[in-house]
Amino acid sequence: MSKSGKTAATAQIQRKHSELKERVNYHNERYHTLDKPEISDYDFDQMFTELLTLESEHNGLDLSDSPTQRVGGDAIAAFKKVDHRLPMISLSNSYSEEDIKEFNARIKKFLRNDSDVEYFAELKLDGLSMELVYEEGQLVRALTRGDGVTGEDVTHNVKTIKSIPLKISHKKLLEVRGEILINKADFVEMNQAYEEAGQMVFANPRNAAAGTIRQLDPKIAASRPLQFFAYALGAYEGITFDSQSDIEDKLAKLKFPVMDRKFTTTTSSEDDLINYYQKINKERSQLPFDIDGIVIKVNPLALQDDLGMVARSPRWATAVKFQPEQAQTVIENIVLQVGRTGAITPVAIMKPVKVGGVTITNATLHNQDEIDRKDIRIGDTVIIQRAGDVIPQVVDVVTSLRPKNSEKFIIASNCPTCGSKVTKEPEEVVLRCHNPFCKSVLIGSLIHFVSRRAMNMEKVGDKLVEAFVEKELVKSFSDLYKLTAKDIQTLDRQGEKSIENILNSIEKSKQTTLAKFIYALGIRFVGEQTAKLLADHYGTIENFMQAEAEELEKVPEIGEKVSATILKWLHDKRMQTEVKTLAKFMTFEAPKRKLEGKLSGMSFLVTGTLPVKRDVAHEKIEENGGKLLSGVSAKLSYLIVGEDPGSKADKAQSVGVKIISWEEFLELIK
Ligand code: IVH
């Protein structure tokens, strides 16, 4: 047996391994490349974990093409594998009040103790575990759990998490363990921004956090709202702890984020533990982050030592998970929704049912492949659950309750709104309506156009947009600017005051920036940031309309695929006419960023800790006409490097980008 307890793989295990690799690869591609997952994240995780477990238990398996070695197309080989000083063990799982009683009885029996044992109970955070290694008061390494023995070095990403201290006042070895996660509200906001930019969205906060931590480029982690909560230790020297609660107190003093005490409980009473479990279960949907249970730990470390380990888990702790929030209901109908990109999404309309305190009536069925795989039909009784407590999904069909003459559901070959033919793009699973004048596409595009980050027509809400389109008052973006009080009067329930407000907010929107205007057009892949770069580069809408491939690809962060999509849009005669009409209404304010200055024509990126705040540094660059890039490439003029710079500095060196200090930067603008 090797150090990690592996046994040699038999032919049967090897076959199973090949099969699993193939299945995971297939679903990986659906998810990452085609952006059309066929199975739930949960199912995928199960499959992936099965593969990981198989690989961690057997020697001699061919890992060279295993998806466990890759994530999202980037070889994880890029992450250094580092052994944990102490193995990162996991908790035994249990699922009920009964299990809490058994746990308590087990502990007492083992300790031969009739007197009370103090427990510390806290939330079981649903993120990914992380070990932070501090040496001489510095964060030197952040490791994923990996197989528990060996983790992956993801320091470059973890260092971007603002709540994690880079320096601490304890100067000897300290390994802090805890959970990385994303708050539910941040997750929703983040996904919305991605969706608006026509990009991939994550199914739940845990996936988003895990996906972020395993990115090669730390700028992605820096741009995402990752959180950390400390709840355990690895190795340490020169400090003592006497209980779990003491660990968290002392970590808090060292400026680590720990779980708020209002979410934890310290008690010797079994009833208290059961009440805590039930109370948290009730409140879980109100919590700011996802949890999947509670963790009960024997509080005194001396007792923990006595209790020791059983198999691969500590005897002194247990996770008590919640039943997944599932419910049974009936699909009354399946309707097709048409998004602003023309994507046709089948949505199940169900008999309303409560799941975890929230009434659910519909769930996306994603696409035909998903419908076929689960054989979901109108009239079916189904089990649904809220994935990551947010997005409802159909888990399973109860076929025994299926009505006799039910039929397979097939997505119609014509757009439900405009009737034009729907087709798949090569390598996509989603069907799209390609008619730019389709009412649904139009409504979706208009809703985006008027939204806060785009033209910001505060008083023009989704319902109003729909009404405008239904009454055929608006057939294009520019029609919004031609609306009169009389037009709006024809709609129900629009009083004088509200008409005035609507017209005012449309009028106000004419004063905008080129960046917001470009973003508002809703060109696929052109999110806010890209729109800003395009606006900076082209300066005027006329210039932008005449963009050509070669020039376009010089714009930072625009590659071939995005460039091709933009050009296709710009070359459409109808779009050209529309933009020209629109532009006549607009007055473009100069962006807050200066385009001319000591730094014009130069681009910058900041890495590491500077003597000033990041925002201040960025302002200084833009004030002087410099441009900010978000990654190192040959297009970058200068990389400004502070303390603990990380991988960007290495990359800059390898592509020959000039590296300067903050002081040297200040010289440039003197
Ligand atoms: S304690 C030896 N506390 O659950 C015990 N774990 O199987 C070390 N987790 O992978 C872990 N919340 O990622 C602990 N409050 C909490 C936790 C927690 C979530 C995760 C952790 C670990 C898994 C345990």
Side-chain angles (χ1 to χ4, degrees):
M1 278 239 234
S2 76
K3 176 171 135 214
S4 47
K6 288 187 182 189
T7 56
T10 60
Q12 197 191 351
I13 295 290
Q14 280 174 0
R15 240 191 338 268
K16 184 166 178 203
H17 184 234
S18 301
E19 252 173 53
L20 257 177
K21 281 194 290 193
E22 205 171 300
R23 268 165 59 204
V24 171
N25 273 332
Y26 172 81
H27 291 292
N28 243 343
E29 189 189 36
R30 295 241 80 102
Y31 189 87
H32 288 288
T33 314
L34 307 177
D35 192 10
K36 289 295 152 224
E38 272 177 16
I39 59 175
S40 71
D41 286 10
Y42 178 78
D43 291 344
F44 181 81
D45 282 352
Q46 295 289 93
M47 198 188 293
F48 196 82
T49 311
E50 195 184 337
L51 181 60
L52 276 174
T53 314
L54 195 73
E55 290 177 353
S56 68
E57 287 174 351
H58 301 279
N59 271 323
L61 292 172
D62 178 10
L63 302 184
S64 65
D65 61 345
S66 173
T68 57
Q69 312 297 303
R70 304 169 59 80
V71 155
D74 293 323
I76 298 190
F79 297 129
K80 228 180 13 193
K81 305 249 177 187
V82 181
D83 281 357
H84 299 286
R85 279 193 177 86
L86 297 176
M88 274 180 95
I89 47 181
S90 54
L91 300 167
S92 60
N93 287 329
S94 52
Y95 295 90
S96 65
E97 286 85 350
E98 216 37 60
D99 291 336
I100 295 178
K101 291 184 191 160
E102 273 174 29
F103 172 71
N104 184 34
R106 231 174 17 244
I107 298 283
K108 293 221 163 143
K109 186 166 167 223
F110 192 90
L111 293 175
R112 295 170 209 275
N113 191 346
D114 286 329
S115 55
D116 285 342
V117 175
E118 187 177 73
Y119 294 106
F120 184 78
E122 58 185 9
L123 307 176
K124 184 166 187 322
L125 303 167
D126 194 10
L128 70 150
S129 44
M130 189 62 60
E131 174 170 81
L132 310 175
V133 182
Y134 290 82
E135 288 169 10
E136 293 170 17
Q138 299 259 8
L139 173 63
V140 293
R141 223 172 300 112
L143 299 177
T144 63
R145 180 169 178 276
D147 61 6
V149 175
T150 310
E152 280 151 1
D153 186 333
V154 291
T155 317
H156 62 298
N157 287 329
V158 169
K159 276 191 173 171
T160 68
I161 303 174
K162 292 186 194 72
S163 61
I164 291 183
L166 299 176
K167 287 197 175 85
I168 56 173
S169 57
H170 177 75
K171 297 296 173 215
K172 295 231 168 98
L173 174 69
L174 180 65
E175 294 182 341
V176 176
R177 294 176 177 179
E179 201 86 352
I180 304 252
L181 51 82
I182 293 180
N183 277 354
K184 291 192 260 193
D186 289 338
F187 167 76
V188 171
E189 192 176 312
M190 174 185 125
N191 252 1
Q192 254 162 15
Y194 281 113
E195 193 153 29
E196 277 174 28
Q199 289 173 3
M200 186 192 82
V201 296
F202 290 100
N204 58 50
R206 179 172 41 80
N207 265 43
T212 303
I213 282 299
R214 313 191 93 196
Q215 292 286 334
L216 290 179
D217 184 351
K219 82 163 193 270
I220 298 177
S223 74
R224 292 190 188 155
L226 295 171
Q227 311 269 349
F228 176 77
F229 291 100
Y231 52 62
L233 297 168
Y236 54 88
E237 289 162 6
I239 183 169
T240 56
F241 302 94
D242 55 38
S243 64
Q244 172 67 28
S245 45
D246 183 42
I247 291 175
E248 294 188 24
D249 286 343
K250 288 194 173 132
L251 289 179
K253 283 217 181 81
L254 286 168
K255 304 266 169 14
F256 288 94
V258 296
M259 208 175 292
D260 194 318
R261 277 288 152 87
K262 72 176 182 229
F263 297 138
T264 70
T265 193
T266 312
T267 181
S268 303
S269 137
E270 187 173 281
D271 287 343
D272 279 358
L273 290 175
I274 289 171
N275 285 339
Y276 173 76
Y277 175 66
Q278 290 170 339
K279 175 173 152 264
I280 298 292
N281 195 8
K282 256 195 228 109
E283 289 171 0
R284 70 191 277 217
S285 59
Q286 310 301 321
L287 292 174
F289 37 69
D290 281 341
I291 60 170
D292 54 353
I294 61 163
V295 180
I296 306 177
K297 302 173 180 177
V298 168
N299 202 24
L301 298 196
L303 289 187
Q304 288 189 6
D305 282 347
D306 291 346
L307 286 155
M309 299 278 292
V310 54
R312 293 185 190 183
S313 308
R315 187 179 276 110
W316 48 263
T318 188
V320 196
K321 293 205 177 180
F322 300 132
Q323 295 301 332
E325 296 189 6
Q326 294 191 334
Q328 187 170 313
T329 183
V330 175
I331 297 186
E332 294 179 327
N333 198 5
I334 298 176
V335 299
L336 301 178
Q337 285 180 354
V338 188
R340 87 178 152 91
T341 61
I344 311 275
T345 312
V347 178
I349 308 295
M350 299 167 301
K351 212 168 159 202
V353 64
K354 273 206 165 182
V355 186
V358 177
T359 304
I360 296 198
T361 50
N362 42 15
T364 168
L365 302 178
H366 303 289
N367 52 57
Q368 186 72 55
D369 292 11
E370 167 86 356
I371 293 175
D372 292 347
R373 205 176 56 81
K374 292 190 176 146
D375 189 15
I376 299 168
R377 307 180 183 194
I378 296 173
D380 271 351
T381 299
V382 288
I383 308 293
I384 58 159
Q385 82 181 15
R386 287 198 297 151
D389 270 0
V390 214
I391 307 155
Q393 53 187 217
V394 173
V395 187
D396 216 348
V397 175
V398 187
T399 38
S400 59
L401 297 177
R402 171 170 283 165
K404 279 229 170 64
N405 41 26
S406 85
E407 284 172 24
K408 282 199 178 286
F409 183 84
I410 295 168
I411 298 179
S413 49
N414 295 86
C415 170
T417 309
C418 71
S420 58
K421 209 153 186 60
V422 296
T423 55
K424 275 187 212 183
E425 313 229 343
E427 303 196 355
E428 283 197 350
V429 278
V430 63
L431 288 158
R432 277 179 209 277
C433 164
H434 298 275
N435 171 13
F437 298 103
C438 170
K439 237 193 227 173
S440 293
V441 173
L442 178 61
I443 290 173
S445 306
L446 283 165
I447 288 175
H448 170 76
F449 185 81
V450 304
S451 65
R452 191 169 57 81
R453 296 169 132 108
M455 301 309 286
N456 191 18
M457 297 187 191
E458 262 174 83
K459 297 287 180 228
V460 184
D462 297 4
K463 287 273 162 289
L464 192 58
V465 167
E466 279 168 28
F468 286 154
V469 174
E470 287 307 331
K471 289 260 151 113
E472 301 196 359
L473 292 170
V474 174
K475 292 183 176 145
S476 63
F477 297 146
S478 55
D479 284 351
L480 285 168
Y481 294 98
K482 297 172 191 159
L483 286 169
T484 63
K486 229 170 152 192
D487 291 334
I488 305 176
Q489 249 163 24
T490 65
L491 304 178
D492 299 341
R493 281 191 311 253
Q494 295 299 347
E496 232 169 82
K497 187 73 206 155
S498 101
I499 293 177
E500 192 185 318
N501 286 340
I502 294 167
L503 287 171
N504 277 342
S505 97
I506 295 176
E507 188 61 30
K508 229 171 83 189
S509 78
K510 294 178 178 174
Q511 189 85 20
T512 185
T513 62
L514 181 58
K516 287 190 174 197
F517 181 75
I518 293 177
Y519 172 65
L521 296 174
I523 305 169
R524 223 169 146 209
F525 306 125
V526 180
E528 269 183 297
Q529 187 60 22
T530 309
K532 259 190 209 165
L533 293 168
L534 287 167
D536 278 0
H537 188 88
Y538 289 99
T540 67
I541 190 67
E542 292 76 18
N543 285 347
F544 174 57
M545 291 303 288
Q546 279 152 24
E548 280 172 34
E550 202 185 324
E551 175 79 19
L552 197 52
E553 279 169 40
K554 277 194 205 137
V555 177
E557 290 172 24
I558 294 195
E560 244 172 76
K561 176 173 144 205
V562 179
S563 148
T565 313
I566 296 175
L567 289 175
K568 192 167 160 223
W569 197 96
L570 293 176
H571 290 162
D572 188 323
K573 285 267 167 329
R574 293 166 299 197
M575 300 309 174
Q576 289 174 355
T577 319
E578 174 63 6
V579 174
K580 270 190 206 134
T581 316
L582 266 177
K584 287 201 196 104
F585 292 106
M586 303 293 147
T587 316
F588 294 118
E589 299 161 14
K592 298 238 162 54
R593 292 148 291 152
K594 248 207 199 151
L595 294 176
E596 290 305 320
K598 287 217 167 82
L599 304 181
S600 51
M602 301 179 201
S603 60
F604 294 84
L605 174 65
V606 180
T607 185
T609 320
L610 298 185
V612 296
K613 284 227 173 80
R614 271 287 157 96
D615 298 354
V616 177
H618 286 173
E619 260 170 38
K620 273 252 177 303
I621 293 166
E622 293 192 323
E623 263 169 24
N624 286 284
K627 202 179 291 169
L628 279 168
L629 298 195
S630 48
V632 176
S633 70
K635 288 174 187 169
L636 183 67
S637 324
Y638 290 99
L639 179 72
I640 307 177
V641 174
E643 268 184 69
D644 301 321
S647 66
K648 274 183 196 148
D650 301 339
K651 181 151 186 225
Q653 203 146 33
S654 69
V655 293
V657 169
K658 270 185 234 150
I659 299 180
I660 56 173
S661 67
W662 180 244
E663 290 69 31
E664 285 168 314
F665 168 78
L666 293 177
E667 284 298 313
L668 285 180
I669 55 174
K670 232 183 183 169

